[in-house]
Amino acid sequence: AADGALNFPDFRSAERTYQILPQAAGRAGRGAKPGVVFIQTYNPEHYSVSSVTAEDDDEFYQKELAFRQAERYPPFVNLIRLIFSGVEQETVSQSAKVVTSTLRDRFRTESEDIEVIGPHAAPIEKIQNYYRWQSLIKARELSSLYTLLPQVINDHPPKRNKKVRIIIDENPFSML
C-alpha cells in the first residue's frame, strides 16, 4: 500500500514515500536467495513511485524540486506553522480564525512576499482532550516575522487568559 504516505496532508509526503519504498524493498530476499518486490498502488504514475521502480533518483529529485518551487515550499521559502490548542473546540477555532485573520491583514500591508494559509482543523484534530487547529505562514525571510508574530499572538485575549495555547513551529518537520 504505497499510496498511504502519499495521501498525508504534508508537502513532504512524496519524499517520505520515496524514502520508505526502497527501504521496504531492501528487505526482500535473504543471502543468496533473490527476492521479488511488488509495489501495490492506486497511483503508479506518481513520480515518487515511478522513480523508485525505475531506480531513478535524479527523476525524483527534479520533479520534487519543481513541485516545491511551484507551490512555494522549502527550500524556496521558510515556513511557520501555528498550532492552536485548548479544551474548548469553539474557543480554539475562533482563536485560530482571529489570529490568522489579523496576521493576514498585517502582512498584506507590510509585505507581499508573505502568504498566510488557514486556519484549518489540524490533520490530527484532537490529542488527549485538546482540540487543535493550525495555520501556515510562508515567507522568504523570517526576520520580519520575529517581532510582529509574538505581538499579535500575545495581544489575543484567549492567549492572555490561558484558554488557548499557541505554538510557533519554525520550519516544521511534520505538518501533522
Side-chain angles (χ1 to χ4, degrees):
D3 304 299
L6 280 176
N7 296 323
F8 284 162
D10 189 336
F11 72 93
R12 291 184 184 93
S13 62
E15 178 182 354
R16 291 198 175 111
T17 299
Y18 185 75
Q19 290 171 340
I20 198 134
L21 287 177
Q23 191 176 55
R27 299 195 185 332
R30 295 283 181 245
K33 206 172 183 183
V36 177
V37 176
F38 293 94
I39 298 176
Q40 182 180 0
T41 179
Y42 290 105
N43 201 358
E45 66 282 347
H46 190 280
Y47 65 90
S48 185
V49 176
S50 66
S51 297
V52 168
T53 58
E55 297 181 27
D56 190 346
D57 296 340
D58 192 53
E59 174 193 10
F60 173 78
Y61 177 78
Q62 295 302 325
K63 288 185 177 181
E64 181 68 7
L65 210 55
F67 160 74
R68 290 188 186 193
Q69 186 171 26
E71 298 298 322
R72 293 190 65 221
Y73 282 114
F76 301 99
V77 297
N78 290 289
L79 298 177
I80 290 184
R81 178 178 173 223
L82 300 177
I83 306 162
F84 303 82
S85 67
V87 293
E88 298 171 7
Q89 184 176 21
E90 185 61 29
T91 304
V92 172
S93 67
Q94 280 303 101
S95 292
K97 290 172 186 174
V98 169
V99 169
T100 304
S101 177
T102 302
L103 289 170
R104 186 175 286 115
D105 291 343
R106 295 283 293 273
F107 293 146
R108 187 176 297 132
T109 61
E110 294 191 15
S111 175
E112 294 178 7
D113 192 37
I114 298 173
E115 179 182 1
V116 180
I117 301 169
H120 303 288
I124 303 172
E125 188 174 359
K126 191 175 182 184
I127 297 177
Q128 296 181 346
N129 294 324
Y130 284 86
Y131 293 94
R132 300 169 7 137
W133 276 61
Q134 66 184 21
S135 296
L136 188 65
I137 302 169
K138 296 179 180 181
R140 287 195 195 279
E141 295 295 324
L142 295 178
S143 58
S144 61
L145 305 176
Y146 289 144
T147 54
L148 181 61
L149 193 55
Q151 287 172 353
V152 170
I153 289 172
N154 288 328
D155 289 345
H156 186 56
K159 170 66 176 164
R160 286 200 311 263
N161 64 22
K162 308 288 189 219
K163 286 186 178 180
V164 176
R165 179 178 181 203
I166 303 173
I167 298 170
I168 302 171
D169 190 1
E170 183 178 321
N171 289 314
F173 178 71
S174 173
M175 303 298 284
L176 301 178

